[in-house]
Amino acid sequence: MPSPERRPRDRMVYSAAQLIRARGVTATGVRDVVEHASAPRGSFQHYFPGGKDQLVGEAVAWAGDFAARWVASYRRAEAAPSPDGLFAHVVRPWKDEFSARGYERGCPVMATAADLAGGESAVNTQLRRALGQWEHAVADELVGMGVLPARARSLAVLMISALEGAIMWARVDRDTTPLDIVVTELAPLLQAAGREATLSGCHDEGAPGGTLPGEPAEDVTRHC
């Protein structure tokens, strides 16, 4: 359940994301969200005049921001960061979640895409932005480790795609083995990217990690 200390609006966005993780967009009703959030009855229209699309879009945006911030936390906490270590860091919370809470809930971005991406939903714009934000966060971390930008973007797409597929497979099998497999099998490729970065002699000077929308750009100088 969302923290009662959050504003009702924030609680509804969080609750929408959590319910979508388990049920998908179609099976998540506005009343379910209001009840899950312990929000005042009648408050939904006040906070979300754009209706369910607005709520779902903001839930997707919340998920993209959460994912990006988790990615950006890696180099701040790791003494010897590496591309394969970054991927293990991104996968770890899913292993922990499934082991501790079971397999009911997946990724809200993937769940929303499964329901809406094939059509012309207004939420598709937020889906693209959330995936883009996540991709940029991963790529920025890789660039900070010396990987060239074009290569970093390609690896970011690969890493996120492998993670999302492994999440789906783990939920179907009720087993975290798919998550272990993608970490193990991608490790040599990511380690090689790290070695290439070391050999190239490229590194960034400045604050680690990329910036998020609304935050000031960081002064980062690239040296090769």
Side-chain angles (χ1 to χ4, degrees):
M1 298 296 289
S3 170
E5 297 177 358
R6 292 174 174 164
R7 297 182 304 161
R9 190 184 195 286
D10 295 337
R11 295 203 305 270
M12 281 192 274
V13 170
Y14 176 83
S15 289
Q18 302 311 309
L19 292 174
I20 290 168
R21 291 180 63 193
R23 306 177 185 178
V25 173
T26 303
T28 297
V30 169
R31 291 183 181 178
D32 300 324
V33 172
V34 172
E35 180 179 350
H36 187 275
S38 299
R41 292 185 177 180
S43 62
F44 175 81
Q45 198 61 37
H46 170 71
Y47 289 118
F48 302 98
K52 184 177 176 180
D53 278 353
Q54 181 185 351
L55 174 63
V56 173
E58 293 194 26
V60 168
W62 175 89
D65 183 68
F66 183 90
R69 289 182 181 276
W70 176 250
V71 169
S73 72
Y74 172 66
R75 280 193 300 141
R76 291 196 294 266
E78 184 62 39
S82 63
D84 58 307
L86 172 63
F87 187 52
H89 169 81
V90 172
V91 172
R92 188 177 307 116
W94 289 101
K95 289 191 64 178
D96 293 344
E97 160 112 5
F98 292 152
S99 297
R101 299 184 179 181
Y103 297 86
E104 179 186 9
R105 299 187 298 177
C107 172
V109 175
M110 183 165 61
T112 302
D115 276 0
L116 302 181
E120 300 297 327
S121 171
V123 179
N124 287 341
T125 298
Q126 282 85 354
L127 274 171
R128 287 188 287 271
R129 287 175 180 168
L131 279 173
Q133 182 180 13
W134 196 3
E135 175 197 346
H136 286 307
V138 174
D140 284 349
E141 288 295 294
L142 293 171
V143 169
M145 297 176 214
V147 179
L148 293 175
R151 174 73 163 152
R153 288 192 295 272
S154 296
L155 289 174
V157 172
L158 176 63
M159 292 160 71
I160 294 169
S161 299
L163 171 62
E164 291 285 22
I167 290 169
M168 178 273 294
W169 205 318
R171 293 181 72 201
V172 170
D173 279 357
R174 296 294 194 266
D175 187 342
T176 60
T177 298
L179 294 167
D180 293 327
I181 288 174
V182 293
V183 170
T184 299
E185 294 298 330
L186 284 183
L189 175 69
L190 297 173
Q191 289 165 1
R195 288 193 296 271
E196 290 168 5
T198 301
L199 291 172
S200 74
C202 295
H203 66 281
D204 288 342
E205 286 185 359
T211 57
L212 295 175
E215 294 181 350
E218 296 175 354
D219 184 13
V220 178
T221 303
R222 188 164 183 80
H223 296 276
C224 295

